[in-house]
Amino acid sequence: MAVQGNRIRPAPPEQLPRDQACRIKEAVVVEALAVRSSSGTVALVPPPTLSCAMAKAVSGWLDIAVQPLARGQFEKDLLALQVGGGQECRRRNRASAGPFSEHATGEALDIFAFRLEPGAGSSEIRVAKPDGVPQERFLAATRQSACGAFMTALGPGSDAAHADHLHVDIQERRSPASRFCQ
């Protein structure tokens, strides 16, 4: 994914899981992604380990949807995503049994907050606790856009496991047109 401005590096092999169920195709550490719709980048804090395909999906979503939504709603650029849950060798919803999570293969990302450039108004939009109607509208539009950019988008109200963040993933489904959005 050689796009000027991206700050992506191969994940160190010693940090990757050995469990076959948790293998990542083309594992990368994503520090920041270039956004063509602005002159800058969007940092991912802390930098998650993702599959290259997931990094590409996040990059496209930020460029096509999230940055324009931030500008339209707040007249500010998006500077960073506060994230957690990139690659993590575990089962869905941290259960002791059942299918592995898309986090296991680096094809999922959890977003806890969106950070905007400083200026008038708040510069942080927390997924769990939006501050007022403009932030609620931004989060609703961002979540709706995630339903088109990813195969799965889950957030507050979908279930207890996603009450404080937006989960997005690129899990392949039986039909390429099938999406799971709540």
Side-chain angles (χ1 to χ4, degrees):
M1 208 163 112
V3 174
Q4 188 170 357
N6 280 347
R7 291 197 318 267
I8 299 173
R9 57 186 160 78
E14 65 274 7
Q15 291 181 2
L16 297 175
R18 295 175 196 243
D19 187 330
Q20 281 296 105
C22 299
R23 293 286 171 157
I24 304 173
K25 292 180 188 170
E26 299 179 311
V28 293
V29 176
V30 182
E31 295 174 5
L33 295 166
V35 180
R36 293 173 295 186
S37 58
S38 75
S39 59
T41 60
V42 175
L44 278 68
V45 182
T49 299
L50 301 172
S51 71
C52 190
M54 183 62 183
K56 184 177 180 181
V58 172
S59 178
W61 177 60
L62 291 173
D63 190 41
I64 292 168
V66 184
Q67 186 68 285
L69 287 168
R71 281 190 171 163
Q73 186 67 47
F74 304 107
E75 297 180 356
K76 296 179 179 184
D77 278 341
L78 177 68
L79 297 180
L81 300 178
Q82 179 186 339
V83 301
Q87 193 283 328
E88 183 181 351
C89 191
R90 64 175 174 83
R91 298 187 187 277
R92 286 187 191 153
N93 299 325
R94 303 190 184 282
S96 58
F100 276 87
S101 168
E102 289 305 295
H103 288 287
T105 57
E107 296 199 337
L109 183 66
D110 293 338
I111 302 164
F112 291 88
F114 297 84
R115 293 189 188 145
L116 304 173
E117 63 187 346
S122 177
S123 62
E124 183 173 84
I125 303 159
R126 301 202 51 78
V127 173
K129 292 187 177 190
D131 185 16
V133 173
Q135 288 193 8
E136 289 172 4
R137 286 182 181 153
F138 171 79
L139 289 172
T142 299
R143 189 167 170 177
Q144 187 63 39
S145 71
C147 290
F150 301 97
M151 300 306 285
T152 305
L154 302 170
S158 63
D159 61 23
H162 299 95
D164 63 352
H165 65 279
L166 175 62
H167 165 97
V168 294
D169 73 48
I170 56 173
Q171 175 187 11
E172 290 185 25
R173 300 196 177 275
R174 289 183 197 144
S175 166
S178 176
R179 301 275 196 265
F180 186 66
C181 295
Q182 290 186 334

